[in-house]
Amino acid sequence: MSVKVRFAPSPTGKLHVGNVRTALVNWMFAKGQGGKFVLRIDDTDLARSTPEFEQGIEDDLTWLGLVWDERYNQSKRFDRYEEAAARLKAAGRLYPCYDTSEELDRRRKVQLSRGLPPIYDRAALDLTDAEKAAYEAEGRRPHWRFKLEGRRVAWEDLARGHAEVDTTSMSDPVLIREDGLFLYTLPSVVDDIDMAITHVIRGEDHVTNTGAQIEIFEALGATVPGFAHMPLLVGADGQALSKRLGSLSIAEMRDQGYEPIAITSHLGRIGTSDPLEVGASVEALGSSFAFSKMGRSPARYDTADLDRLNAQSLHVMGHAVARPRLAELDADLGEGFWNGVRGNLQKFGDVIEMATIVRGPITPVIEDAAFAAAALAALPEVIDETLWPVWTNAVKEATGAKGKALFMPLRMMITGQSHGPDMATLAPMIGRERIVKRLKGEAA
């Protein structure tokens, strides 16, 4: 069987780390199996869906490397949902309910006061045609519920193992609202059938819904797909993600300078037995993915891990890959420069500061004028790759300084900073003219 999965975001907001993790795991599973990844835009809520958010979803997935094989909009498929609803109505599995939200709330409170589970009592099934007509005459419009069979629904979950849901403990789910709007469940099942989706992969908060959805698949005479329900994300402290972190959008992360491979490596490997290291590519992540590696505990989302992976991705990036981006930042000073500074980058944009150190102008930091004068006097006339060891040895002989007392003042004087790339690489790039000016205390 050829694997085919789907990611079905709503274009009512930006993609954040939670739903991108779902998209990523779907993509990795499909690509690791040689299958297909479907992007299905859940825009049935026409009032809240926007073209801007839809475009943002596409842009984010493309930037992350999660390219889709097929793409659909649910808003163009209402006729199929109407056909499925008609079939369920004709089979007696979809029935009209005229209860108001206030009436339902009162009944739930009564059930709870009696120690009963607050599930829908199916009172609407007993309505006569005359009673329905009376409600209609009042101006009420029905919402439509799917009649569950009330049994134990079982499946073998790729992430959780054997799973069961007892639908006797559930309210019959509402599939169509009073205003005729289809809720998520029916369009999702119909689309999964029509698009031949083989596996539905999502968070474990959907486990209970799966029992009802399997019954809908069966009621429509369709083959039930496989399911995988992943543990949810928690923060570094093991607590539920804060609203800020839980809604951190990919667009924001891109603006903050995170690399796509760092994001996908982080989200693709947390909560698994794989080492939390940056992947060679998103395709390599897919090739190594397996649900058997996924633990049952919540996956810890720690920005410190993301920062480490982001730096790691830059430290191994070749100049050929970096060159176009360096050019955009006016910071392409050659392959030697890139190889010399990349190991000190946390975000790609840090390279601007590195380029400024090399070509200036920077303000030198001189704490000891006599030491600076001695360093200037010892500066070799010929500047090549031997500059740093030859020069520091000469300054040591002239001043008696050694170790940190030797190297730190020199770094501060010619870079203006107490840290940075290897000076043996950096100093020759700065050149003798700038070094001389900086040793004299001049901005250069």
Side-chain angles (χ1 to χ4, degrees), residues 122-340:
R122 291 181 167 173
L125 288 174
D126 297 325
L127 292 175
T128 64
D129 289 342
E131 289 171 322
K132 293 175 185 177
Y135 280 133
E136 296 277 353
E138 287 179 20
R140 294 198 194 191
R141 294 293 178 266
H143 56 270
W144 294 80
R145 292 181 182 267
F146 177 75
K147 185 180 179 183
L148 295 168
E149 293 181 336
R151 60 182 175 86
R152 297 199 73 82
V153 178
W155 70 94
E156 296 304 316
D157 198 286
L158 289 176
R160 299 168 61 86
H162 184 75
E164 292 187 7
V165 171
D166 186 355
T167 60
T168 59
S169 63
M170 300 167 55
S171 292
D172 290 340
V174 177
L175 301 190
I176 308 174
R177 294 194 330 191
E178 290 87 345
D179 59 4
L181 180 69
F182 288 98
L183 298 181
Y184 165 81
T185 305
L186 185 59
S188 178
V189 169
V190 171
D191 288 347
D192 287 342
I193 295 170
D194 288 356
M195 297 167 196
I197 299 302
T198 62
H199 296 81
V200 175
I201 302 169
R202 54 195 180 182
E204 62 184 10
D205 51 332
H206 288 281
V207 167
T208 301
N209 301 340
T210 298
Q213 288 173 6
I214 287 176
E215 286 202 18
I216 298 172
F217 275 106
E218 293 173 342
L220 291 172
T223 300
V224 178
F227 288 91
H229 293 89
M230 305 177 292
L232 302 179
L233 294 178
V234 296
D237 57 1
Q239 302 300 309
L241 286 179
S242 67
K243 289 184 178 179
R244 182 195 65 79
L245 187 58
S247 63
L248 187 60
S249 73
I250 297 303
E252 289 173 309
M253 297 173 77
R254 181 168 60 245
D255 291 343
Q256 290 168 6
Y258 286 105
E259 299 295 312
I261 190 60
I263 296 172
T264 52
S265 295
H266 187 218
L267 292 175
R269 287 182 167 171
I270 53 175
T272 76
S273 59
D274 282 333
L276 194 52
E277 301 294 337
V278 71
S281 65
V282 70
E283 289 78 14
L285 292 174
S287 298
S288 65
F289 175 79
F291 279 108
S292 59
K293 298 179 180 180
M294 188 173 285
R296 291 293 302 274
S297 300
R300 291 178 182 261
Y301 184 91
D302 189 343
T303 51
D305 288 328
L306 176 60
D307 289 338
R308 177 176 61 82
L309 293 177
N310 198 73
Q312 188 182 97
S313 71
L314 297 172
H315 298 171
V316 299
M317 184 181 290
H319 181 246
V321 174
R323 184 187 295 124
R325 297 171 64 184
L326 290 169
E328 287 180 5
L329 299 176
D330 189 26
D332 186 9
L333 304 187
E335 185 172 3
F337 165 76
W338 172 252
N339 291 340

